[in-house]
């Protein structure tokens, strides 16, 4: 693989269910990010990680958790999904916190 | 609060030139990015400005004025494939990337 992959591509989920969105990069980037994109609101940062073993909260972290056990993987977990979490989720990575961010293809999540 | 303003939508004609403006009010400034996003796809990097002036890259150019909190993306010789959303993003003093809502550009033949 080259770049960033995300899985699944799309998912329909019942409210209250737990869901993990996967993100893997092979560029050895230190920093990784999770965004959600809703119509008219642009990209909003959920959580980020500047390096393996560290994570931080973004603009809209409530209801989401992340982990960064190694350089390549940065999963995003919804502990108990709610309909307001219906969105397109993008994972991104960059060499450092100020470098160009490169995006994965996105996961379209619908919570019913 | 921090804010980035872009027009919601613009329309231009194939072969013409279009300028997409971005104004920002952020806590500090450490650089400005422009990204292109086709419908249903991920954003892709177009340009980066950190110093005042114009950066040219083929048909696309990006301008920055830090004193005015202003940038624009200039697209020349428009092609139908340029129909997309264009996102402006600023790195603030905490090295967080603040995103505008994007400008949807519609190209007509």
């Amino acid at each position: 693989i080259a770049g960033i992959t995300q899985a699944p591509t799309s998912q329909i989920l019942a409210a209250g269910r737990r869901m993990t969105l996967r993100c893997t990069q092979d560029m050895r980037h230190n920093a990784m990010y999770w965004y959600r994109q809703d119509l008219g609101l642009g990209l909003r940062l959920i959580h980020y990680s500047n390096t393996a073993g560290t994570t931080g909260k973004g603009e809209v972290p409530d209801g989401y958790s992340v982990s960064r056990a190694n350089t390549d993987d940065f999963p995003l977990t919804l502990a108990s999904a709610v309909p307001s979490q219906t969105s397109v989720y993008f994972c991104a990575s960059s060499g450092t916190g100020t470098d160009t961010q490169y995006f994965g293809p996105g996961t379209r999540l619908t919570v019913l | 609060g921090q804010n980035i303003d872009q027009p919601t939508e613009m329309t231009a004609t194939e072969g013409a030139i279009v300028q997409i403006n971005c104004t920002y009010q952020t806590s500090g400034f450490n650089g400005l990015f422009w990204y292109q996003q086709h419908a249903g796809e991920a954003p892709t990097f177009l340009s980066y400005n950190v110093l005042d002036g114009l950066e040219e890259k083929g048909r696309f150019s990006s301008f920055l004025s830090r004193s005015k909190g202003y940038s624009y993306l200039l697209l020349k010789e428009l092609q139908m494939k340029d129909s997309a959303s264009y996102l402006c993003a600023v790195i603030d003093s905490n090295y967080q990337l603040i995103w505008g809502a994007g400008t949807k550009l519609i190209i007509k033949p």
Side-chain angles (χ1 to χ4, degrees), chain A residues 66-94:
Chain A
V66 292
S67 61
R68 186 90 184 275
N70 57 60
T71 298
D72 299 345
D73 301 301
F74 192 43
L76 176 74
T77 297
L78 289 68
S80 179
V82 295
S84 62
Q85 292 177 312
T86 293
S87 188
V88 179
Y89 291 86
F90 286 105
C91 179
S93 72
S94 64

Side-chain angles (χ1 to χ4, degrees), chain A residues 35-38 43 85-90 105-109:
Chain A
Y35 292 95
R36 60 179 290 173
Q37 187 175 39
D38 303 292
L43 288 162
Q85 292 177 312
T86 293
S87 188
V88 179
Y89 291 86
F90 286 105
T107 293
R108 185 174 296 275
L109 182 68

Side-chain angles (χ1 to χ4, degrees), chain B residues 8-81:
Chain B
T8 302
E9 186 175 296
M10 299 181 69
T11 302
T13 304
E14 189 177 16
I17 299 173
V18 71
Q19 177 175 310
I20 302 174
N21 296 325
C22 170
T23 58
Y24 61 90
Q25 301 90 36
T26 56
S27 58
F29 177 86
N30 284 296
L32 184 145
F33 290 92
W34 283 97
Y35 279 76
Q36 180 189 60
Q37 185 176 25
H38 286 102
E41 298 183 7
T44 56
F45 169 75
L46 283 178
S47 68
Y48 172 69
N49 295 71
V50 66
L51 299 176
D52 290 350
L54 188 68
E55 294 280 343
E56 297 186 81
K57 191 184 296 184
R59 294 189 300 114
F60 292 8
S61 302
S62 57
F63 172 83
L64 174 67
S65 169
R66 289 172 296 172
S67 63
K68 295 182 179 179
Y70 169 70
S71 173
Y72 67 72
L73 181 68
L74 191 71
L75 291 72
K76 302 176 184 176
E77 300 170 15
L78 286 169
Q79 302 175 10
M80 297 304 293
K81 67 179 182 179

